[in-house]
Amino acid sequence: MNLLEKVFKISQYLKDGDHYVREQEFQQDPWTMKYVPELYISSEKVNSQIANLVQHLKSGNALCSIVGGQKSGKSYLMHILRDGLEEDLWKYTDYDKVHVLFFNPEKLEEYSLTNYYMAIAGEVFSKHYARYEEVIVELKRYLEGNNVLLVILLDNFRSETLSFILRDTAKLLKPLKNHFSCIISNHIVEVKLCSNGLANGGIKHFSYTIRIPEVLSLEEAKCLIQKRLSYALNQTIVNETDFFSERAIETAWIESQGKPWQLISLLEDSYTYSKNQGLKLVSHNDVITVSKMFDRSTNQDGVEDHDTFAIQQALNNFPYRERQVCEYLMQKDASAKEITIYLYGELPSSDYRSKYMGTKSFLKRLKDKNVVVVKDQSGRSLIFGLNPKMRAMFTQGNDKRESGITDKFQMST
């Protein structure tokens, strides 16, 4: 079963009367092991919205958006959609080929219309053109002549860049017509910027908009956990209480304030923590312990809470194992050996050496990164991956700040 069906069950919601799903698969490189993302959230209201989104995308000539609050899971959902659309969108269309491109600020560091269009040409044609007008002409000729659909996902663009990239994307819709669709993620407070960008590109409004739920009820949280486990284990029926106690689930829901991203993050780390302790069931105490280890709250009433959340935001941009290393170092000072055992448990000597050398190499590379070293009574902690503004905030002296993290930690770089 493909990802769009397995996660979102979109065939139940598609409105085509004669709809069918092509079951044959593309030929794939047998030496490639593709990463299948975890289930973010699956519910009636989300699944039906994803199906409506695909309904618009699959026919071309659509510009859609995913809207949510801070840390609501917009980027997580965009990454799942990217993988799902790359793998399976062609099965729902009459096109002979589908290109799915993903852009974020890291891939377009210095934004301009020319850089954006050249990046598209680079991924579709593996070729550089002298002028962006040539890109439009070549895209039109290629897409129409070969019955191809181009889908672009734009994630995490902010401020003026968000408005500019929306304007320039909207301008592509007219010449490419039914061979082009786009999804863009944006924060709920950026609606005005989006409207300005669309208007400047000659479009009045989005073709379709998904609003990510801000808060889950306790029952929705339990359903989310059950469906994630079912998806991960590839089993139709899974009892979430075989993995989390009832009280643990309730505690995680309370600690996360029902916010999906925080709930998933807390449960994931609680499960890892419990497993490393040799326990078969995540308990209330496990959730409380992990919650205290690292606060996921977005509460910014106090400076310290805001600093903690900002650090977590930086860490979340790193791969899973690197994030675990950093979060572990924030709890205690540790050697590469200790970290390797913590991450992977007891291993055969041949496997251990490989994992150990990888961990040691990663710790060594931190010296070449934008690193903040935090020293407190429990030892040494490393905070890395911070942008210059965040780094400056954390390294300000006590004479410039009356309270917050620099009152409690000695900072050095």
Side-chain angles (χ1 to χ4, degrees), residues 131-270:
R131 301 167 58 219
Y132 74 83
E133 292 91 347
E134 291 182 59
V135 175
I136 298 176
V137 172
E138 289 300 318
L139 276 175
K140 179 179 174 64
R141 179 182 300 146
Y142 167 69
L143 297 176
E144 293 181 355
N146 297 279
N147 191 31
V148 176
L149 174 65
L150 172 63
V151 179
I152 294 179
L153 285 78
L154 304 170
D155 183 45
N156 207 29
F157 290 96
R158 306 297 301 273
S159 304
E160 286 188 341
T161 303
L162 174 66
S163 182
F164 293 156
I165 200 167
L166 261 175
R167 173 201 64 193
D168 300 337
T169 302
K171 287 179 178 179
L172 280 176
L173 281 180
K174 186 175 180 180
L176 302 185
K177 297 181 181 178
N178 295 329
H179 292 269
F180 175 61
S181 290
C182 175
I183 312 172
I184 188 164
S185 70
N186 61 279
H187 194 284
I188 192 170
V189 301
E190 296 168 331
V191 173
K192 181 62 176 176
L193 279 173
C194 292
S195 298
N196 292 341
L198 289 176
N200 290 333
I203 293 179
K204 293 183 178 179
H205 50 74
F206 286 110
S207 306
Y208 186 71
T209 296
I210 289 180
R211 174 72 180 271
I212 295 181
E214 300 286 333
V215 177
L216 300 175
S217 68
L218 179 57
E219 289 306 312
E220 287 174 328
K222 290 179 179 179
C223 182
L224 168 60
I225 297 167
Q226 192 276 330
K227 289 182 177 179
R228 282 177 62 85
L229 290 171
S230 177
Y231 177 76
L233 299 173
N234 198 25
Q235 297 177 11
T236 304
I237 300 176
V238 175
N239 188 349
E240 67 274 12
T241 54
D242 289 341
F243 300 86
F244 301 91
S245 71
E246 285 280 1
R247 194 178 177 201
I249 293 173
E250 292 173 359
T251 303
W253 178 71
I254 292 170
E255 291 290 319
S256 67
Q257 300 177 342
K259 297 178 180 178
W261 175 86
Q262 293 180 30
L263 175 71
I264 292 169
S265 176
L266 180 55
L267 288 174
E268 178 186 24
D269 288 345
S270 297

Side-chain angles (χ1 to χ4, degrees), residues 243-249 251-252 267 270-271 273-274 279-290:
F243 300 86
F244 301 91
S245 71
E246 285 280 1
R247 194 178 177 201
I249 293 173
T251 303
L267 288 174
S270 297
Y271 179 79
Y273 173 81
S274 178
L279 304 174
K280 294 183 178 180
L281 188 71
V282 179
S283 68
H284 158 78
N285 289 335
D286 294 334
V287 175
I288 291 296
T289 299
V290 170

Side-chain angles (χ1 to χ4, degrees), residues 10-24:
I10 70 169
S11 64
Q12 298 178 17
Y13 302 91
L14 288 172
K15 299 173 183 178
D16 293 349
D18 57 350
H19 168 72
Y20 71 97
V21 180
R22 289 187 271 178
E23 294 299 336
Q24 69 270 27

Side-chain angles (χ1 to χ4, degrees), residues 28-40:
Q28 296 188 18
D29 183 348
W31 308 113
T32 299
M33 293 184 66
K34 235 182 159 184
Y35 171 68
V36 179
E38 291 180 285
L39 175 63
Y40 165 61

Side-chain angles (χ1 to χ4, degrees), residues 259-316:
K259 297 178 180 178
W261 175 86
Q262 293 180 30
L263 175 71
I264 292 169
S265 176
L266 180 55
L267 288 174
E268 178 186 24
D269 288 345
S270 297
Y271 179 79
T272 302
Y273 173 81
S274 178
K275 189 174 181 180
N276 287 337
Q277 300 297 313
L279 304 174
K280 294 183 178 180
L281 188 71
V282 179
S283 68
H284 158 78
N285 289 335
D286 294 334
V287 175
I288 291 296
T289 299
V290 170
S291 181
K292 288 181 177 179
M293 282 182 186
F294 211 96
D295 182 16
R296 292 162 172 79
S297 171
T298 59
N299 177 20
Q300 299 185 13
D301 293 336
V303 176
E304 181 181 346
D305 287 341
H306 179 254
D307 287 347
T308 301
F309 180 66
I311 295 170
Q312 183 68 57
Q313 284 184 296
L315 301 187
N316 288 336

